[in-house]
Coordinates of all heavy atoms in Angstrom, one line a residue:
Chain B
Q146 N -18.6 90.4 -103.1 CA -19.6 90.4 -101.9 C -20.3 91.7 -101.8 O -21.4 91.8 -101.2 CB -18.8 90.0 -100.7 CG -18.7 88.5 -100.6 CD -17.7 88.0 -99.5 OE1 -17.1 88.8 -98.9 NE2 -17.6 86.7 -99.4
A147 N -19.7 92.8 -102.4 CA -20.4 94.1 -102.4 C -21.5 94.1 -103.4 O -22.4 95.0 -103.4 CB -19.4 95.2 -102.5
L148 N -21.4 93.2 -104.4 CA -22.4 93.2 -105.5 C -23.7 92.6 -105.0 O -23.7 91.4 -104.5 CB -21.8 92.4 -106.7 CG -22.6 92.3 -107.9 CD1 -22.7 93.7 -108.6 CD2 -21.9 91.4 -108.9
P149 N -24.9 93.2 -105.2 CA -26.1 92.6 -104.7 C -26.3 91.2 -105.3 O -25.9 91.0 -106.5 CB -27.2 93.5 -105.2 CG -26.5 94.8 -105.3 CD -25.1 94.5 -105.7
I150 N -26.8 90.3 -104.5 CA -26.9 88.8 -104.9 C -27.6 88.6 -106.3 O -27.1 87.7 -107.0 CB -27.5 88.0 -103.8 CG1 -27.3 86.5 -104.1 CG2 -28.9 88.3 -103.5 CD1 -26.3 85.8 -103.2
E151 N -28.6 89.4 -106.6 CA -29.3 89.1 -107.8 C -28.4 89.4 -109.0 O -28.5 88.7 -110.1 CB -30.5 90.1 -107.9 CG -31.6 89.8 -106.9 CD -31.4 90.4 -105.6 OE1 -30.4 91.1 -105.4 OE2 -32.1 90.1 -104.6
Y152 N -27.5 90.4 -108.9 CA -26.6 90.7 -110.0 C -25.4 89.7 -110.0 O -24.9 89.3 -111.0 CB -26.1 92.1 -109.8 CG -27.1 93.2 -109.9 CD1 -27.9 93.6 -108.8 CD2 -27.4 93.7 -111.2 CE1 -28.9 94.5 -109.0 CE2 -28.4 94.7 -111.3 CZ -29.1 95.1 -110.2 OH -30.1 96.0 -110.3
R153 N -25.0 89.3 -108.8 CA -23.9 88.4 -108.6 C -24.2 87.1 -109.3 O -23.4 86.5 -110.0 CB -23.7 88.2 -107.1 CG -22.3 87.7 -106.8 CD -22.2 87.3 -105.3 NE -22.6 88.3 -104.4 CZ -22.8 88.1 -103.1 NH1 -22.5 86.9 -102.6 NH2 -23.2 89.0 -102.3
I154 N -25.4 86.6 -109.1 CA -25.8 85.3 -109.7 C -25.8 85.4 -111.2 O -25.3 84.5 -111.9 CB -27.2 84.8 -109.1 CG1 -26.9 84.3 -107.7 CG2 -27.8 83.7 -109.9 CD1 -28.2 84.0 -106.9
V155 N -26.3 86.5 -111.8 CA -26.2 86.6 -113.2 C -24.8 86.6 -113.7 O -24.4 86.0 -114.7 CB -27.0 87.9 -113.7 CG1 -26.8 88.2 -115.2 CG2 -28.5 87.8 -113.4
F156 N -23.9 87.4 -113.0 CA -22.5 87.5 -113.4 C -21.9 86.1 -113.3 O -21.2 85.7 -114.3 CB -21.8 88.4 -112.5 CG -20.3 88.5 -112.7 CD1 -19.8 89.1 -113.8 CD2 -19.4 87.8 -111.8 CE1 -18.4 89.1 -114.0 CE2 -18.1 87.8 -112.0 CZ -17.5 88.5 -113.1
V157 N -22.2 85.3 -112.3 CA -21.6 84.0 -112.1 C -22.1 83.0 -113.2 O -21.3 82.3 -113.9 CB -21.8 83.4 -110.7 CG1 -21.4 81.9 -110.6 CG2 -21.1 84.2 -109.7
L158 N -23.4 83.0 -113.5 CA -23.9 82.1 -114.5 C -23.4 82.5 -115.9 O -23.0 81.6 -116.6 CB -25.5 82.2 -114.5 CG -26.2 81.5 -113.3 CD1 -27.7 81.9 -113.3 CD2 -26.0 80.0 -113.3
R159 N -23.4 83.8 -116.2 CA -23.0 84.2 -117.6 C -21.5 84.1 -117.8 O -21.0 83.5 -118.7 CB -23.5 85.6 -117.9 CG -25.0 85.6 -118.2 CD -25.3 85.1 -119.6 NE -24.9 86.1 -120.7 CZ -24.0 85.9 -121.6 NH1 -23.2 84.8 -121.5 NH2 -23.7 86.8 -122.5
D160 N -20.7 84.7 -116.9 CA -19.3 84.9 -117.1 C -18.4 83.8 -116.6 O -17.4 83.6 -117.1 CB -18.8 86.3 -116.6 CG -19.2 87.4 -117.5 OD1 -19.4 87.1 -118.7 OD2 -19.2 88.5 -117.1
L161 N -18.9 83.2 -115.5 CA -18.0 82.1 -114.9 C -18.5 80.7 -115.3 O -17.7 79.9 -115.6 CB -17.9 82.3 -113.4 CG -17.6 83.7 -112.9 CD1 -17.3 83.8 -111.4 CD2 -16.3 84.3 -113.6
E162 N -19.8 80.5 -115.2 CA -20.3 79.2 -115.6 C -20.5 79.1 -117.1 O -20.7 78.0 -117.7 CB -21.6 78.9 -114.9 CG -21.6 78.9 -113.4 CD -20.7 77.8 -112.8 OE1 -20.8 76.7 -113.3 OE2 -20.0 78.1 -111.9
E163 N -20.4 80.2 -117.8 CA -20.5 80.4 -119.2 C -21.8 79.9 -119.8 O -21.8 79.2 -120.9 CB -19.3 79.7 -119.9 CG -18.0 80.4 -119.4 CD -16.8 80.0 -120.2 OE1 -16.9 79.8 -121.5 OE2 -15.7 79.8 -119.7
L164 N -22.9 80.1 -119.1 CA -24.2 79.8 -119.7 C -24.6 81.0 -120.7 O -24.1 82.1 -120.5 CB -25.3 79.8 -118.6 CG -25.7 78.5 -118.0 CD1 -24.5 77.9 -117.2 CD2 -26.9 78.6 -117.0
S165 N -25.4 80.7 -121.6 CA -25.8 81.7 -122.6 C -26.8 82.6 -121.9 O -27.3 82.3 -120.8 CB -26.4 81.0 -123.8 OG -27.6 80.4 -123.5

Side-chain angles (χ1 to χ4, degrees):
Chain B
Q146 279 167 358
L148 183 66
I150 188 110
E151 294 80 7
Y152 295 89
R153 201 187 311 171
I154 285 172
V155 171
F156 174 75
V157 171
L158 286 171
R159 284 285 284 113
D160 280 338
L161 309 186
E162 301 295 320
E163 301 192 36
L164 265 66
S165 67

